[in-house]
Amino acid sequence: MEFFKSDRVYDFMKYKIPFLGLSVFLVIASLVLLSTKGLNFGIDFSGGTIIQVKYTQEAPITDIRNELAKSEQFKNATVTEFGTKDEVVIKITNTTTDLGSDIGDQITSLLVSTGEFELRRVDMVGPKVGGELKEKGITALILALSVILIYVSYRFEWRFAVASIVALIHDIVIALGVISLFSVEVNLDILAALLTILGYSLNDTIIVFDRVREGVSKSNSNDLNEMINSSVSNTLSRTTLTSLTTFFVVFTLYVFGSEIISGFSFTLLVGIVVGTYSSIFVASTFLVQLQFSIANFRAKEAEKVKKQKEKERIRAMYEKGIV
């Protein structure tokens, strides 16, 4: 099955300026959102307490808020529906330091008049632990980008690596912008989704770059735009099919999965769309902007082949005893 004819070459580079303009607009809009609205950090990063309560009937959210408002400790708590109408989540920005009292028991006694219910989850994270998790999360993203930069530089050439990293930063910034726009709670699941986006987007980009390198080695053309158009066109069906199948799986997870993984699956959905777009329209365009030279690349590859043949010749002479 193929959506695009494998023998047809589409002129993607003809529209590189409009696509770059769209990317610049999306990145700037995302940065504005992140600097003005910011991210809605969950208790994993900001510290606090989450209590999940399930009622035997529809949860009386107004009554719950009124009962919590009577307590000095819980008056700033937020109560939101969680997946179904009979389940709510209570978020408290502070944690108790009193080891003699159980916050679950306190909530149970406070809400006893709101109906029949059970506490399904009580998660507590201290502000210090939340700060450490945030720091480690940022470190994980920076380390992932650094290792990718080194690996792609080693396997290809530094311009391929820089173009890949620019495309990945483009994907992450836009994904964070959408997360900020829809006030998705940022927790460890979202961090895992962002790292998954890095790997997913890089996989598509590497396939396109590998085809570009193969084209440079086999073709007699010196036109980089023509080479990129051919490489992206050859991988277009594969990229589209892979992205669509992954998108449908994650979309099913988002629609039918529980509220706990909705943020994770939503972030992945955004990442799949943005990552596919950047692999086709952004990464290769940056390769042109970085003035990748086909002639220099062929000269370096020829030098590598020459050195390899020289090593094989010396090894053969050594094995035959002719040194």
Side-chain angles (χ1 to χ4, degrees):
M1 179 181 180
E2 59 179 9
F3 289 105
F4 305 96
K5 293 184 177 180
S6 56
D7 57 347
R8 181 177 176 183
V9 175
Y10 299 92
D11 194 357
F12 293 101
M13 300 311 290
K14 181 180 178 181
Y15 303 102
K16 62 185 177 185
I17 299 301
F19 285 126
L20 274 179
L22 175 63
S23 291
V24 169
F25 170 75
L26 291 174
V27 169
I28 291 176
S30 299
L31 291 175
V32 169
L33 271 172
L34 290 170
S35 60
T36 54
K37 189 177 180 184
L39 293 170
N40 175 27
F41 286 109
I43 66 163
D44 288 348
F45 296 123
S46 61
T49 306
I50 281 186
I51 302 160
Q52 186 178 339
V53 185
K54 182 176 175 57
Y55 281 81
T56 54
Q57 72 285 350
E58 185 174 333
I61 292 181
T62 304
D63 293 342
I64 297 171
R65 286 174 179 156
N66 290 336
E67 292 300 322
L68 292 175
K70 295 175 182 175
S71 166
E72 185 66 26
Q73 184 180 355
F74 304 123
K75 65 180 181 182
N76 294 323
T78 59
V79 183
T80 53
E81 198 173 272
F82 190 73
T84 57
K85 289 184 179 298
D86 59 351
E87 207 158 354
V88 295
V89 159
I90 302 169
K91 294 180 185 175
I92 306 164
T93 54
N94 56 345
T95 56
T96 178
T97 55
D98 184 3
L99 297 178
S101 63
D102 186 296
I103 197 166
D105 293 339
Q106 291 177 289
I107 290 293
T108 301
S109 63
L110 269 175
L111 302 183
V112 70
S113 62
T114 60
E116 191 174 341
F117 63 87
E118 65 168 331
L119 297 188
R120 309 195 79 178
R121 176 167 60 115
V122 179
D123 291 338
M124 297 175 62
V125 177
K128 187 176 180 182
V129 175
E132 288 177 359
L133 288 173
K134 188 190 295 183
E135 185 181 331
K136 288 180 180 177
I138 295 171
T139 304
L141 280 173
I142 294 173
L143 274 177
L145 289 172
S146 302
V147 172
I148 289 169
L149 182 67
I150 294 169
Y151 173 73
V152 180
S153 296
Y154 172 74
R155 289 281 287 112
F156 293 86
E157 200 223 12
W158 70 267
R159 290 178 182 83
F160 286 93
V162 172
S164 302
I165 294 299
V166 170
L168 292 178
I169 292 174
H170 163 277
D171 299 346
I172 294 298
V173 169
I174 293 176
L176 286 173
V178 176
I179 289 170
S180 173
L181 179 65
F182 290 97
S183 298
V184 177
E185 186 175 299
V186 179
N187 49 32
L188 290 175
D189 294 341
I190 300 298
L191 175 62
L194 292 175
L195 290 172
T196 306
I197 290 171
L198 283 183
Y200 183 86
S201 179
L202 180 67
N203 182 51
D204 276 347
T205 303
I206 288 294
I207 288 171
V208 173
F209 280 174
D210 193 49
R211 194 58 64 93
V212 171
R213 183 175 61 175
E214 185 181 327
V216 169
S217 302
K218 293 182 177 178
S219 173
N220 294 322
S221 173
N222 288 320
D223 188 339
L224 182 58
N225 288 335
E226 179 186 319
M227 205 77 70
I228 289 174
N229 283 333
S230 174
S231 302
V232 176
S233 299
N234 286 336
T235 58
L236 197 56
S237 280
R238 179 258 172 216
T239 302
T240 308
L241 280 172
T242 306
S243 298
L244 278 178
T245 50
T246 311
F247 182 89
F248 289 140
V249 170
V250 179
F251 184 72
T252 305
L253 197 66
Y254 176 71
V255 173
F256 298 105
S258 68
E259 191 73 19
I260 293 177
I261 59 171
S262 65
F264 175 81
S265 48
F266 175 78
T267 306
L268 275 186
L269 284 176
V270 176
I272 290 168
V273 173
V274 178
T276 305
Y277 162 76
S278 72
S279 298
I280 297 173
F281 300 109
V282 178
S284 301
T285 304
F286 273 108
L287 202 58
V288 177
Q289 302 302 321
L290 291 169
Q291 299 182 336
F292 173 75
S293 168
I294 292 179
N296 289 342
F297 185 78
R298 283 175 177 157
K300 289 178 182 176
E301 290 296 304
E303 185 65 25
K304 286 181 184 176
V305 172
K306 183 180 176 182
K307 287 182 179 178
Q308 183 63 31
K309 287 183 176 178
E310 182 64 18
K311 284 182 181 177
E312 290 175 357
R313 187 183 67 82
I314 294 173
R315 187 183 297 116
M317 291 174 63
Y318 179 79
E319 289 173 354
K320 293 176 181 177
I322 308 170
V323 180

Short mmCIF file of all heavy atoms in Angstrom, two decimals, residues 225-264:
data_model
loop_
_atom_site.label_atom_id
_atom_site.label_comp_id
_atom_site.label_asym_id
_atom_site.label_seq_id
_atom_site.Cartn_x
_atom_site.Cartn_y
_atom_site.Cartn_z
N ASN A 225 19.20 20.44 -3.71
CA ASN A 225 17.74 20.51 -3.69
C ASN A 225 17.11 19.31 -4.40
O ASN A 225 16.15 18.71 -3.91
CB ASN A 225 17.25 21.81 -4.34
CG ASN A 225 17.53 23.02 -3.49
OD1 ASN A 225 17.66 22.90 -2.28
ND2 ASN A 225 17.64 24.18 -4.12
N GLU A 226 17.67 18.99 -5.55
CA GLU A 226 17.17 17.84 -6.33
C GLU A 226 17.35 16.54 -5.55
O GLU A 226 16.46 15.67 -5.51
CB GLU A 226 17.93 17.77 -7.66
CG GLU A 226 17.52 16.62 -8.55
CD GLU A 226 18.42 16.53 -9.78
OE1 GLU A 226 18.77 17.58 -10.36
OE2 GLU A 226 18.80 15.40 -10.14
N MET A 227 18.50 16.43 -4.87
CA MET A 227 18.81 15.23 -4.08
C MET A 227 17.83 15.08 -2.91
O MET A 227 17.34 13.98 -2.62
CB MET A 227 20.23 15.34 -3.53
CG MET A 227 20.90 14.03 -3.23
SD MET A 227 21.45 13.25 -4.73
CE MET A 227 22.79 14.32 -5.20
N ILE A 228 17.55 16.20 -2.24
CA ILE A 228 16.62 16.16 -1.09
C ILE A 228 15.20 15.84 -1.56
O ILE A 228 14.50 15.03 -0.94
CB ILE A 228 16.66 17.51 -0.34
CG1 ILE A 228 18.00 17.64 0.39
CG2 ILE A 228 15.51 17.61 0.65
CD1 ILE A 228 18.22 18.97 1.05
N ASN A 229 14.78 16.46 -2.67
CA ASN A 229 13.43 16.16 -3.20
C ASN A 229 13.28 14.67 -3.49
O ASN A 229 12.26 14.06 -3.18
CB ASN A 229 13.20 16.97 -4.48
CG ASN A 229 12.87 18.42 -4.18
OD1 ASN A 229 12.35 18.73 -3.11
ND2 ASN A 229 13.19 19.31 -5.12
N SER A 230 14.31 14.09 -4.12
CA SER A 230 14.26 12.67 -4.46
C SER A 230 14.23 11.80 -3.20
O SER A 230 13.45 10.84 -3.11
CB SER A 230 15.49 12.32 -5.32
OG SER A 230 15.54 10.94 -5.55
N SER A 231 15.06 12.16 -2.21
CA SER A 231 15.15 11.34 -0.98
C SER A 231 13.87 11.40 -0.18
O SER A 231 13.37 10.37 0.30
CB SER A 231 16.32 11.84 -0.13
OG SER A 231 17.52 11.79 -0.85
N VAL A 232 13.32 12.60 -0.01
CA VAL A 232 12.08 12.75 0.76
C VAL A 232 10.91 12.06 0.03
O VAL A 232 10.08 11.41 0.65
CB VAL A 232 11.76 14.24 1.01
CG1 VAL A 232 10.42 14.39 1.73
CG2 VAL A 232 12.86 14.89 1.84
N SER A 233 10.89 12.17 -1.31
CA SER A 233 9.82 11.52 -2.09
C SER A 233 9.89 10.01 -1.95
O SER A 233 8.86 9.33 -1.85
CB SER A 233 9.93 11.92 -3.57
OG SER A 233 9.79 13.31 -3.72
N ASN A 234 11.11 9.47 -1.97
CA ASN A 234 11.27 8.01 -1.87
C ASN A 234 10.81 7.46 -0.52
O ASN A 234 10.38 6.31 -0.42
CB ASN A 234 12.75 7.63 -2.07
CG ASN A 234 13.16 7.76 -3.52
OD1 ASN A 234 12.32 7.70 -4.42
ND2 ASN A 234 14.44 7.95 -3.77
N THR A 235 10.96 8.27 0.52
CA THR A 235 10.58 7.81 1.87
C THR A 235 9.20 8.30 2.30
O THR A 235 8.77 8.01 3.41
CB THR A 235 11.62 8.29 2.91
OG1 THR A 235 11.69 9.72 2.85
CG2 THR A 235 12.99 7.72 2.64
N LEU A 236 8.52 9.03 1.40
CA LEU A 236 7.26 9.66 1.79
C LEU A 236 6.18 8.65 2.17
O LEU A 236 5.48 8.82 3.18
CB LEU A 236 6.76 10.55 0.64
CG LEU A 236 5.70 11.59 1.02
CD1 LEU A 236 6.18 12.50 2.14
CD2 LEU A 236 5.32 12.42 -0.21
N SER A 237 6.04 7.59 1.38
CA SER A 237 5.02 6.58 1.67
C SER A 237 5.30 5.89 3.00
O SER A 237 4.40 5.69 3.82
CB SER A 237 4.97 5.53 0.56
OG SER A 237 4.25 6.01 -0.53
N ARG A 238 6.57 5.54 3.19
CA ARG A 238 6.96 4.86 4.43
C ARG A 238 6.70 5.76 5.64
O ARG A 238 6.13 5.35 6.65
CB ARG A 238 8.44 4.46 4.33
CG ARG A 238 8.98 3.76 5.56
CD ARG A 238 9.79 4.72 6.38
NE ARG A 238 10.16 4.12 7.65
CZ ARG A 238 10.23 4.79 8.79
NH1 ARG A 238 9.94 6.07 8.83
NH2 ARG A 238 10.58 4.19 9.89
N THR A 239 7.11 7.04 5.53
CA THR A 239 6.92 7.99 6.64
C THR A 239 5.44 8.18 6.93
O THR A 239 5.01 8.18 8.09
CB THR A 239 7.56 9.35 6.27
OG1 THR A 239 8.95 9.14 5.99
CG2 THR A 239 7.42 10.33 7.41
N THR A 240 4.63 8.33 5.88
CA THR A 240 3.20 8.59 6.06
C THR A 240 2.51 7.39 6.70
O THR A 240 1.71 7.55 7.64
CB THR A 240 2.54 8.90 4.71
OG1 THR A 240 3.28 9.92 4.06
CG2 THR A 240 1.12 9.37 4.89
N LEU A 241 2.81 6.19 6.20
CA LEU A 241 2.16 4.99 6.74
C LEU A 241 2.54 4.76 8.20
O LEU A 241 1.69 4.45 9.04
CB LEU A 241 2.55 3.77 5.91
CG LEU A 241 1.80 3.59 4.59
CD1 LEU A 241 2.41 2.47 3.77
CD2 LEU A 241 0.32 3.29 4.86
N THR A 242 3.83 4.90 8.49
CA THR A 242 4.29 4.70 9.88
C THR A 242 3.63 5.71 10.83
O THR A 242 3.15 5.35 11.91
CB THR A 242 5.82 4.85 9.96
OG1 THR A 242 6.42 3.98 9.02
CG2 THR A 242 6.32 4.53 11.35
N SER A 243 3.59 6.96 10.38
CA SER A 243 3.01 8.00 11.24
C SER A 243 1.52 7.78 11.43
O SER A 243 1.01 7.95 12.55
CB SER A 243 3.26 9.39 10.61
OG SER A 243 4.63 9.63 10.52
N LEU A 244 0.81 7.41 10.36
CA LEU A 244 -0.63 7.22 10.48
C LEU A 244 -0.99 6.05 11.40
O LEU A 244 -1.88 6.17 12.25
CB LEU A 244 -1.25 6.98 9.09
CG LEU A 244 -1.53 8.25 8.27
CD1 LEU A 244 -2.09 7.87 6.90
CD2 LEU A 244 -2.52 9.16 9.00
N THR A 245 -0.27 4.93 11.24
CA THR A 245 -0.56 3.78 12.10
C THR A 245 -0.27 4.10 13.56
O THR A 245 -1.04 3.75 14.45
CB THR A 245 0.26 2.55 11.67
OG1 THR A 245 1.63 2.92 11.54
CG2 THR A 245 -0.22 2.00 10.34
N THR A 246 0.86 4.78 13.80
CA THR A 246 1.19 5.17 15.18
C THR A 246 0.15 6.16 15.71
O THR A 246 -0.28 6.07 16.87
CB THR A 246 2.59 5.80 15.24
OG1 THR A 246 3.51 4.96 14.55
CG2 THR A 246 3.05 5.98 16.67
N PHE A 247 -0.24 7.10 14.85
CA PHE A 247 -1.22 8.11 15.27
C PHE A 247 -2.54 7.45 15.68
O PHE A 247 -3.12 7.80 16.71
CB PHE A 247 -1.45 9.10 14.13
CG PHE A 247 -2.40 10.22 14.47
CD1 PHE A 247 -1.93 11.40 15.03
CD2 PHE A 247 -3.76 10.09 14.24
CE1 PHE A 247 -2.80 12.42 15.38
CE2 PHE A 247 -4.63 11.11 14.58
CZ PHE A 247 -4.16 12.28 15.14
N PHE A 248 -3.01 6.49 14.87
CA PHE A 248 -4.30 5.84 15.17
C PHE A 248 -4.23 5.05 16.49
O PHE A 248 -5.18 5.03 17.27
CB PHE A 248 -4.71 4.93 14.02
CG PHE A 248 -5.15 5.68 12.80
CD1 PHE A 248 -4.79 5.24 11.53
CD2 PHE A 248 -5.91 6.84 12.91
CE1 PHE A 248 -5.18 5.95 10.40
CE2 PHE A 248 -6.31 7.55 11.79
CZ PHE A 248 -5.94 7.11 10.53
N VAL A 249 -3.08 4.40 16.72
CA VAL A 249 -2.92 3.64 17.98
C VAL A 249 -2.96 4.58 19.18
O VAL A 249 -3.68 4.34 20.17
CB VAL A 249 -1.59 2.85 17.96
CG1 VAL A 249 -1.30 2.27 19.33
CG2 VAL A 249 -1.64 1.74 16.92
N VAL A 250 -2.19 5.68 19.09
CA VAL A 250 -2.15 6.62 20.22
C VAL A 250 -3.49 7.33 20.38
O VAL A 250 -3.93 7.61 21.50
CB VAL A 250 -1.00 7.64 20.01
CG1 VAL A 250 -0.96 8.65 21.16
CG2 VAL A 250 0.34 6.93 19.92
N PHE A 251 -4.17 7.61 19.24
CA PHE A 251 -5.49 8.26 19.30
C PHE A 251 -6.50 7.35 20.03
O PHE A 251 -7.31 7.83 20.83
CB PHE A 251 -5.98 8.56 17.89
CG PHE A 251 -7.29 9.30 17.86
CD1 PHE A 251 -7.35 10.64 18.24
CD2 PHE A 251 -8.46 8.67 17.48
CE1 PHE A 251 -8.55 11.33 18.24
CE2 PHE A 251 -9.66 9.35 17.47
CZ PHE A 251 -9.72 10.69 17.85
N THR A 252 -6.43 6.05 19.74
CA THR A 252 -7.29 5.09 20.45
C THR A 252 -6.99 5.11 21.94
O THR A 252 -7.90 5.07 22.78
CB THR A 252 -7.06 3.68 19.89
OG1 THR A 252 -7.25 3.69 18.49
CG2 THR A 252 -8.00 2.68 20.53
N LEU A 253 -5.70 5.18 22.26
CA LEU A 253 -5.29 5.25 23.67
C LEU A 253 -5.84 6.52 24.32
O LEU A 253 -6.28 6.50 25.47
CB LEU A 253 -3.75 5.24 23.73
CG LEU A 253 -3.09 4.93 25.06
CD1 LEU A 253 -3.37 3.50 25.46
CD2 LEU A 253 -1.59 5.17 24.95
N TYR A 254 -5.83 7.62 23.56
CA TYR A 254 -6.29 8.90 24.10
C TYR A 254 -7.81 8.88 24.33
O TYR A 254 -8.31 9.37 25.35
CB TYR A 254 -5.93 10.02 23.13
CG TYR A 254 -6.45 11.37 23.54
CD1 TYR A 254 -5.91 12.06 24.64
CD2 TYR A 254 -7.49 11.97 22.84
CE1 TYR A 254 -6.39 13.29 25.02
CE2 TYR A 254 -7.98 13.21 23.23
CZ TYR A 254 -7.43 13.86 24.31
OH TYR A 254 -7.92 15.09 24.70
N VAL A 255 -8.56 8.28 23.38
CA VAL A 255 -10.03 8.28 23.48
C VAL A 255 -10.53 7.28 24.51
O VAL A 255 -11.39 7.60 25.34
CB VAL A 255 -10.65 7.99 22.10
CG1 VAL A 255 -12.17 7.83 22.22
CG2 VAL A 255 -10.32 9.10 21.12
N PHE A 256 -9.97 6.06 24.48
CA PHE A 256 -10.50 5.00 25.33
C PHE A 256 -9.66 4.74 26.57
O PHE A 256 -10.08 3.96 27.44
CB PHE A 256 -10.64 3.70 24.52
CG PHE A 256 -11.60 3.83 23.37
CD1 PHE A 256 -11.14 3.94 22.07
CD2 PHE A 256 -12.97 3.87 23.60
CE1 PHE A 256 -12.02 4.07 21.02
CE2 PHE A 256 -13.86 3.99 22.55
CZ PHE A 256 -13.39 4.10 21.25
N GLY A 257 -8.48 5.34 26.64
CA GLY A 257 -7.65 5.16 27.84
C GLY A 257 -8.22 5.97 29.00
O GLY A 257 -9.12 6.79 28.85
N SER A 258 -7.68 5.73 30.16
CA SER A 258 -8.20 6.44 31.34
C SER A 258 -7.62 7.85 31.39
O SER A 258 -6.72 8.22 30.63
CB SER A 258 -7.82 5.67 32.60
OG SER A 258 -6.42 5.71 32.79
N GLU A 259 -8.15 8.62 32.33
CA GLU A 259 -7.71 10.00 32.50
C GLU A 259 -6.23 10.09 32.88
O GLU A 259 -5.55 11.07 32.58
CB GLU A 259 -8.55 10.65 33.61
CG GLU A 259 -8.40 12.15 33.73
CD GLU A 259 -9.09 12.90 32.60
OE1 GLU A 259 -9.97 12.32 31.94
OE2 GLU A 259 -8.71 14.06 32.38
N ILE A 260 -5.72 9.03 33.52
CA ILE A 260 -4.32 9.04 33.98
C ILE A 260 -3.34 9.18 32.82
O ILE A 260 -2.31 9.83 32.94
CB ILE A 260 -4.03 7.76 34.80
CG1 ILE A 260 -4.83 7.78 36.09
CG2 ILE A 260 -2.55 7.63 35.11
CD1 ILE A 260 -4.68 6.54 36.93
N ILE A 261 -3.65 8.56 31.67
CA ILE A 261 -2.71 8.60 30.55
C ILE A 261 -3.15 9.57 29.45
O ILE A 261 -2.55 9.59 28.38
CB ILE A 261 -2.52 7.19 29.94
CG1 ILE A 261 -3.86 6.63 29.46
CG2 ILE A 261 -1.86 6.25 30.91
CD1 ILE A 261 -3.72 5.37 28.66
N SER A 262 -4.19 10.36 29.70
CA SER A 262 -4.67 11.28 28.65
C SER A 262 -3.61 12.32 28.31
O SER A 262 -3.42 12.67 27.14
CB SER A 262 -5.97 11.95 29.08
OG SER A 262 -5.75 12.78 30.19
N GLY A 263 -2.91 12.86 29.32
CA GLY A 263 -1.86 13.85 29.05
C GLY A 263 -0.72 13.26 28.25
O GLY A 263 -0.22 13.87 27.30
N PHE A 264 -0.33 12.03 28.62
CA PHE A 264 0.75 11.34 27.90
C PHE A 264 0.37 11.11 26.44
O PHE A 264 1.14 11.43 25.52
CB PHE A 264 1.01 10.01 28.60
CG PHE A 264 2.01 9.13 27.91
CD1 PHE A 264 3.37 9.34 28.08
CD2 PHE A 264 1.60 8.09 27.09
CE1 PHE A 264 4.30 8.53 27.44
CE2 PHE A 264 2.52 7.28 26.45
CZ PHE A 264 3.87 7.50 26.64
#
